[in-house]
Amino acid sequence: MSRDHTQSAERSGAGAPAGDAETPFLELLARRASADAYERPVLLARAEGRAAEHVAALEHARLLALRVRSEMEGRRRREAELSALFETAHDLAGLRDLDAVLQAIVQRARSLLGTDVAYLSLNDPVRGDTYMRVTEGSVAARFQQLRLGMGEGLGGLVAQTARPYVTDDYFQDERFQHTSTIDAGVRDEGLVAILGVPLMLGHHVIGVLFAADRRARVFEREQIALLGSFAALAAAAIDTAHLLTETRSALAGLERANEIIRDRSGVIERASDIHDRLAELVLRGGGVHDVAAAVAEVLDGMVEFTEAAAVPAKALEASRADGHAVWHDDEWIAAVAAGGELLGALVLHGHPGLDPVDQRTLERAAMVTSLLLLARRSAAEAEQRVRGELLDDLLDARDRDPRLLRDRASRLYADLDATHVVLAARLDAAAADADQEAAARRRLRSAASHLAATRHGLAAARDGGTVLLLPLEPGDTATALARRTARQLGTAVHEEVTVGASAPVEGLAAHPDTVAAAYAEGRRCLDALRLLGRSGDGAAAEDFGFLGLLLAGDRDIAGFVDRTIGQVVAYDERRGTDLLRTLDAYFACGMSPARTKDELLVHVNTVAQRLERVGRLLGDDWQSPARALEIQLALRLHRLAAPAPAQR
């Protein structure tokens, strides 16, 4: 779009009615304009002396457009990062040329972090230093040939300590040892800000991956984590190359002895088979159980992915620290880890004499499993944040544009025009300390987000618990949904979860304030359940009898009367009987049949027959204190609602 066309669009936006204030910003979004460009329509409207309400509408539209732009940019960035990681994993799966794979890793790291230079160094165990292996964006020959002693420069410090280091001004940073040779190379390259992360195999550092800029820059935590992911893939590529070298050496030895060839050929075939299968699984987005099934078939054994808590801690820690599968109690255990976090283990049952190549196959499968888990977690966390943000907006921002709300919900496969129930959920068990309580809340939030995603609803953390917005299926009730949700969440977090539900609500996009009112009703039901000692249960206002009139947001008196004595009212209307009048007299006479027959001027047997009919309609416990209280209240409310008799 030309500059003249842009200015024309901005002027047309400034002169349009307030309802069209978003038009110039939609055009800016469509052409991915810079953030500064969003100020122009507002400034132009002010310069032309437009009405204050029009300027305010433009300002509101500008803020919304900037939020949409930020969300779109964030999603594009996350998609690019995941795509680069999967492409790199693909390169690793089809590894033929180690230098080509390492060059691709450095190129993608530089592109995604937006740095001037990216480079990778490897440790030289013979000379005891680290040297440049691959560079991208470098222009200085002396820099490309640098060798760093352990502890020298930022890279030498990373290689020595096995920890990431970052500096926003290399020459002013005194945390590491400066040498004339290293400083001269960095100065030739013109680098200022440098980030370095270690390449780890097990607990050994084999090199360092760097990203650097020729200007001062602060690297964010997400960028450090992203470079760490690329470093893990680079280390895996080097390890895979070593594995292939070992395999080739083994093949050379096997060629010298036919018996060894026959013995080893099956192992090599299995390694190749699992290599291809794991590559295919990564490319088509398979799950951890698919990896376990593939390894089990190739190794001809039973393999399963197990949560960390279910694996012997000592064996799991030994596998994580050493980077290899360990034999423990008739099982091979290969830790599935990412950084310092243990995600679980691949467990191979039996096979005490596992071939070293088969053992490495199990270890490689564990590494692929960790990559898949991290990718799934990243995607799930992103979706969880988006669902939570939409529900937060429905709860807090009452003036949202219904069209935008519907569009955001539709991208999450949610329909705000359907009938929904708002549920407030909370854990009831007291935690031993603050850390355990925070962990329990995270588990509840994760379980609620998963449930909402599978039910095409929304979930968010709120008031020390979680709030869910779930669609109500035809024939279902708020009570049944609350109890089912309490049971499902409790099973997921292994603790009692209490759930209070609102009455069904509709038209949430057009009336967002309905969500906040329904949430308040759900919380009142939740508090009532806890006060009544019904922890781990779920209920709606209609389940609390007359107490529900106080809990419900809309005071559904007619509904309460119908639930309590509706069958008696209907019976009288159909049969022309006098059961309601008999009930009134019965309670007024202290529940005495003898006094009731005098009040009604009928025989005592008639009173008994009518009360027996009432019992069949309302249930055997209708005269219990709690039920009797509800029935008396319903009778009075029914009399108040009945039309007054005509005057004669």
Side-chain angles (χ1 to χ4, degrees), residues 502-635:
S502 72
V505 291
E506 299 177 345
L508 304 184
H511 307 286
D513 54 329
T514 304
V515 180
Y519 174 55
E521 178 179 334
R523 285 197 63 193
R524 288 194 294 269
C525 291
L526 172 63
D527 292 339
L529 283 170
R530 301 178 76 185
L531 287 172
L532 294 172
R534 292 171 58 183
S535 296
D537 198 0
E542 64 184 22
D543 302 311
F544 293 95
F546 71 90
L547 180 60
L549 293 178
L550 305 177
L551 299 175
D554 57 0
R555 302 292 190 271
D556 185 13
I557 294 175
F560 169 74
V561 171
D562 183 64
R563 289 192 299 272
T564 307
I565 60 172
Q567 294 189 8
V568 177
V569 174
Y571 189 89
D572 275 354
E573 290 175 351
R574 290 195 310 270
R575 303 294 184 89
T577 52
D578 224 359
L579 298 184
L580 280 178
R581 181 165 169 262
T582 302
L583 272 176
D584 263 334
Y586 180 64
F587 285 120
C589 295
M591 301 176 71
S592 167
R595 293 168 57 190
T596 302
K597 60 99 175 173
D598 294 335
E599 176 69 20
L600 297 176
L601 301 178
V602 298
H603 195 274
V604 69
N605 290 342
T606 301
V607 173
Q609 292 170 359
R610 293 179 180 178
L611 294 179
E612 182 181 358
R613 172 60 63 183
V614 168
R616 286 199 293 270
L617 293 172
L618 300 183
D620 294 338
D621 65 338
W622 73 276
Q623 297 189 74
S624 65
R627 288 290 308 280
L629 178 60
E630 291 184 3
I631 293 170
Q632 291 178 73
L633 177 58
L635 287 169

Side-chain angles (χ1 to χ4, degrees), residues 248-262 264:
R248 293 188 186 104
S249 298
L251 287 172
L254 292 174
E255 289 174 356
R256 293 188 294 268
N258 290 332
E259 184 179 352
I260 299 176
I261 290 175
R262 289 194 300 270
R264 302 288 292 177

Side-chain angles (χ1 to χ4, degrees), residues 210-359:
F210 301 86
D213 257 336
R214 297 187 175 96
R215 63 187 185 283
R217 169 178 178 171
V218 176
F219 288 95
E220 299 176 355
R221 181 180 301 175
E222 293 81 3
Q223 295 172 322
I224 297 174
L226 177 61
L227 193 63
S229 298
F230 278 112
L233 291 173
I238 295 168
D239 190 35
T240 301
H242 291 163
L243 175 60
L244 291 176
T245 301
E246 294 170 3
T247 303
R248 293 188 186 104
S249 298
L251 287 172
L254 292 174
E255 289 174 356
R256 293 188 294 268
N258 290 332
E259 184 179 352
I260 299 176
I261 290 175
R262 289 194 300 270
D263 192 40
R264 302 288 292 177
S265 62
V267 173
I268 301 304
E269 289 177 4
R270 290 198 300 273
S272 177
D273 186 16
I274 194 61
H275 184 275
D276 294 341
R277 292 189 184 204
L278 293 181
E280 182 185 358
L281 283 173
V282 170
L283 291 175
R284 65 180 175 86
V288 295
H289 298 293
D290 296 324
V291 173
V295 177
E297 184 175 348
V298 170
L299 299 184
D300 192 22
M302 179 180 177
V303 180
E304 60 181 347
F305 172 76
T306 307
E307 299 291 340
V311 181
K314 187 175 180 180
L316 186 61
E317 180 58 32
S319 175
R320 185 198 66 80
D322 191 47
H324 296 292
V326 298
W327 176 254
H328 175 82
D329 196 18
D330 293 332
E331 295 176 337
W332 283 100
I333 296 174
V336 176
E341 182 181 2
L342 282 169
L343 305 176
L346 281 185
V347 179
L348 170 62
H349 301 278
H351 288 280
L354 190 65
D355 185 275
V357 178
D358 286 342
Q359 180 180 337

Side-chain angles (χ1 to χ4, degrees), residues 116-174:
D116 298 322
V117 183
Y119 49 100
L120 182 149
S121 68
L122 291 181
N123 291 0
D124 187 340
V126 177
R127 297 182 54 171
D129 62 4
T130 182
Y131 64 97
M132 291 290 184
R133 174 64 185 272
V134 181
T135 65
E136 176 68 22
S138 172
V139 296
R142 178 159 51 177
F143 177 79
Q144 297 169 13
Q145 298 170 7
L146 277 178
R147 298 188 75 98
L148 293 74
M150 292 301 175
E152 295 179 355
L154 183 141
L157 186 60
V158 174
Q160 184 181 56
T161 62
R163 295 176 55 191
Y165 275 88
V166 61
T167 178
D168 56 358
D169 193 338
Y170 176 86
F171 292 101
Q172 300 300 320
D173 200 326
E174 300 298 331

Side-chain angles (χ1 to χ4, degrees), residues 427-489:
L427 293 165
D428 287 299
D433 54 43
D435 290 341
Q436 290 188 10
E437 181 177 357
R441 289 182 179 179
R442 284 195 298 270
R443 290 196 302 272
L444 176 60
R445 183 169 65 251
S446 176
S449 298
H450 177 73
L451 178 61
T454 58
R455 290 290 311 279
H456 304 300
L458 305 174
R462 202 80 170 183
D463 301 321
T466 60
V467 55
L468 299 94
L469 180 68
L470 298 181
L472 189 66
E473 300 295 335
D476 203 359
T477 65
T479 297
L481 181 59
R483 290 175 178 167
R484 194 162 58 248
T485 302
R487 184 172 60 255
Q488 291 170 338
L489 293 180

